[in-house]
Amino acid sequence: MTGARSFSGLTVIVTGGAGGLGRAIASAFVAAGGQVVVADVDAEAARAAADDLGEAARPVQLDVSDEASWISALDEVEKRIGKLDVLVNNAGIYAPNIKFEEMPIDLWRRHFAVNSDGVFLGCKHGILRMKQRGGAIVNIGSAFSITANPLGSAYCASKAAVLMTTRTAAASAGPYNVRVNAVLPGAVPTPMLMGNVTGDTSEADYLAALEELSPLGRLAQPQDVARAVVFLADAANGVITGSYLSVDGGNMPGA
Ligand code: NAD
């Protein structure tokens, strides 16, 4: 069980915290008592999200693909708030609807820079900051970490790397009592998902078609993903590491 205020006094960073899922995750940690850092490449959006979340939230500018940016953001958090306890590597990008054979190499590399390098750098510097006291890292992969989408080759491959980075980081950081797990959301209504809608299809029709793929007949909402992240980050669940949890309405990735 996850206690209602299990994160009281703990410092939690959520990357991409100004976006659809990141904001819900940040909000769930605020509700659980955490001191939450909304870290985003979009400084203005991070500030607005932190303002909305109230006194327990602060904004920090962070480009997850840039190692120097990680070091300066983590220094700032330690100075202004406290030592890092929980890191959620949530920031990600997705350029949809591009055939495999038409994927430009620059765009392929950009997916890897944000989705894969960003998670690697977060795990690396998160472990370095947490290894004296323990802590938890949750990486946001995707159902497409496991299933192949012919119109999302760079996204799928870069999200597959998130799974193995989770496992190698967990194997390495276990002796420091730093746990590393992943959540794999299915389709969740956010600005990123709505970027898939093309042509004459309405957003409502697009979402209805996705719901039909779910045995439960429903999509996960950002709050569903946030609850799974909080569960994996909670020290009460401290024997879970190197794992992933799908939150996808039963759409069974890999099946
Ligand atoms: P979103 O586009 O709504 O938000 C993404 C956020 O990440 C934005 O605030 C953006 O400014 C930030 N960001 C982008 N590049 C960054 C960088 N280099 N450094 C720091 N911040 C950066 O997307 P979302 O739907 O909230 O997605 C959040 C995560 O969930 C992503 O990793 C995404 O791949 C994953 N995911 C989303 C879905 C979905 O259906 N929405 C499904 C599976 C996985």
Side-chain angles (χ1 to χ4, degrees):
M1 276 297 281
T2 298
R5 303 285 292 174
S6 321
F7 294 86
S8 255
L10 300 189
T11 302
V12 179
I13 298 179
V14 182
T15 73
L21 286 185
R23 200 184 166 106
I25 294 166
S27 173
F29 278 108
V30 167
Q35 296 293 315
V36 178
V37 179
V38 176
D40 206 288
V41 72
D42 184 338
E44 190 46 49
R47 201 169 305 120
D51 281 352
D52 279 358
L53 289 169
E55 277 182 8
R58 317 268 183 87
V60 160
Q61 183 164 25
L62 168 68
D63 177 354
V64 296
S65 67
D66 177 1
E67 189 157 20
S69 179
W70 269 106
I71 293 168
S72 90
L74 288 166
D75 284 346
E76 190 181 334
V77 169
E78 266 187 21
K79 206 166 112 196
R80 284 171 49 201
I81 302 169
K83 288 196 182 297
L84 181 63
D85 297 295
V86 174
L87 170 64
V88 183
N89 286 311
N90 162 77
I93 57 166
Y94 182 21
N97 301 321
I98 302 172
K99 285 185 181 165
F100 186 97
E101 63 275 23
E102 288 166 10
M103 173 61 66
I105 183 67
D106 287 351
L107 192 54
W108 173 275
R109 288 184 177 138
R110 187 69 200 142
H111 280 81
F112 274 79
V114 177
N115 298 349
S116 311
D117 299 0
V119 168
F120 160 67
L121 289 170
C123 288
K124 173 182 171 181
H125 288 281
I127 291 167
L128 285 170
R129 304 277 171 152
M130 293 193 275
K131 66 192 286 191
Q132 307 299 336
R133 317 173 338 125
I137 299 174
V138 182
N139 298 325
I140 305 300
S142 167
F144 289 146
S145 296
I146 296 174
T147 33
N149 174 352
L151 299 179
S153 54
Y155 184 77
C156 291
S158 64
K159 286 290 186 179
V162 171
L163 271 192
M164 188 49 81
T165 304
T166 300
R167 294 174 64 78
T168 51
S172 190
Y176 314 128
N177 196 29
V178 176
R179 298 181 302 109
V180 189
N181 290 291
V183 170
L184 310 189
V188 187
T190 68
M192 178 183 282
L193 185 73
M194 291 314 164
N196 288 278
V197 179
T198 51
D200 295 335
T201 311
S202 71
E203 289 193 351
D205 286 349
Y206 176 72
L207 292 175
L210 288 175
E211 278 167 4
E212 277 182 23
L213 299 174
S214 156
L216 293 175
R218 56 183 279 206
L219 299 181
Q221 299 300 314
Q223 294 76 6
D224 296 311
V225 176
R227 276 193 295 277
V229 172
V230 169
F231 173 85
L232 289 171
D234 193 330
N237 304 310
V239 80
I240 303 174
T241 197
S243 266
Y244 73 81
L245 183 52
S246 294
V247 181
D248 61 358
N251 195 7
M252 294 181 280

